């Protein structure tokens, strides 16, 4: 049987891949509904009033984008987990490697090496920005905690000095 959680209670690679795929499918579905609501997918409005044209077009696009983004999500999650396991390190480079792989899947669906490479580099760049943004955010949180700790120490020092002055004058 497949295990969706490991011994530490964290999601296994299979669980992460399933979540990534389902997330991609949902995002693809939302994208198609949004795109269809804007009437961008078919150039003439008359086609949208004819159900014989609208529904086949809508469901063809729904299948295309949910499948594509589902595959991208599965690839990202599986490669990210695999890289973590292979390298035995969970650092900021795992996510860009996985994002580059997912970008290759997206580009391969378009049957274009140029698009595959561009999306791979773009996805990896976005993942790097997100990873370093999280590092900066956590660094700022640590700095705020240190600042608060310093303020507490200063306050305690002031209180101690005030007590010493009170005892010395008494």
């Amino acid at each position: 049987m497949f295990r969706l959680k490991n011994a530490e209670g964290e999601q296994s690679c299979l669980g992460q891949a399933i979540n990534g795929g389902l997330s991609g499918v949902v995002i693809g579905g939302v994208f198609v509904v949004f795109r269809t609501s804007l009437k961008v997918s078919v150039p003439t409005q008359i086609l949208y009033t004819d159900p014989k044209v609208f529904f086949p077009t809508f469901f063809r696009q729904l299948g295309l984008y949910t499948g594509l983004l589902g595959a991208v999500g599965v690839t990202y999650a599986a490669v990210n987990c695999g890289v973590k396991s292979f390298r035995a390190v969970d650092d900021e480079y795992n996510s860009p490697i996985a994002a580059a792989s997912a970008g290759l899947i997206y580009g391969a669906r378009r049957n274009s090496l140029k698009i595959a490479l561009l999306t791979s580099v773009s996805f990896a760049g976005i993942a790097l920005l997100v990873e370093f943004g999280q590092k900066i955010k956590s660094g700022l949180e640590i700095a705020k905690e240190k600042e608060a700790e310093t303020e507490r120490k200063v306050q305690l020092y002031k209180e101690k000095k005030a007590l010493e002055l009170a005892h010395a004058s008494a």
Side-chain angles (χ1 to χ4, degrees), residues 3-20:
R3 297 181 64 185
L4 297 181
K5 296 208 179 226
N6 61 19
E8 293 85 32
E10 297 173 349
Q11 269 192 332
S12 68
C13 286
L14 177 63
Q16 289 178 21
I18 289 170
N19 279 342

Side-chain angles (χ1 to χ4, degrees), residues 11 15-31 65-77:
Q11 269 192 332
Q16 289 178 21
I18 289 170
N19 279 342
L22 290 175
S23 298
V25 166
V26 168
I27 290 169
V30 169
F31 174 73
Y65 285 105
T66 57
L68 176 60
L69 293 178
V72 167
V74 167
T75 303
Y76 175 82

Side-chain angles (χ1 to χ4, degrees), residues 10 14 27 34 38 41 52 55 58 68 127 143:
E10 297 173 349
L14 177 63
I27 290 169
F34 178 72
L38 291 178
S41 55
K52 291 179 183 176
F55 287 110
F58 174 76
L68 176 60

Side-chain angles (χ1 to χ4, degrees), residues 30-99:
V30 169
F31 174 73
V32 169
V33 169
F34 178 72
R35 183 178 172 173
T36 305
S37 70
L38 291 178
K39 300 179 179 162
V40 172
S41 55
V42 179
T44 61
Q45 234 174 343
I46 248 175
L47 294 176
Y48 269 92
T49 59
D50 183 10
K52 291 179 183 176
V53 175
F54 171 76
F55 287 110
T57 303
F58 174 76
F59 287 114
R60 184 174 49 251
Q61 289 181 2
L62 188 66
L64 171 76
Y65 285 105
T66 57
L68 176 60
L69 293 178
V72 167
V74 167
T75 303
Y76 175 82
V79 171
N80 193 18
C81 189
V83 169
K84 281 182 199 175
S85 299
F86 180 74
R87 293 180 63 220
V89 176
D90 187 11
D91 62 7
E92 66 272 3
Y93 301 111
N94 296 343
S95 186
I97 292 168

Side-chain angles (χ1 to χ4, degrees), residues 109-125:
R109 175 64 178 92
R110 303 286 302 267
N111 294 327
S112 168
L113 180 62
K114 182 179 178 181
I115 291 174
L117 293 175
L118 285 173
T119 55
S120 179
V121 169
S122 300
F123 284 13

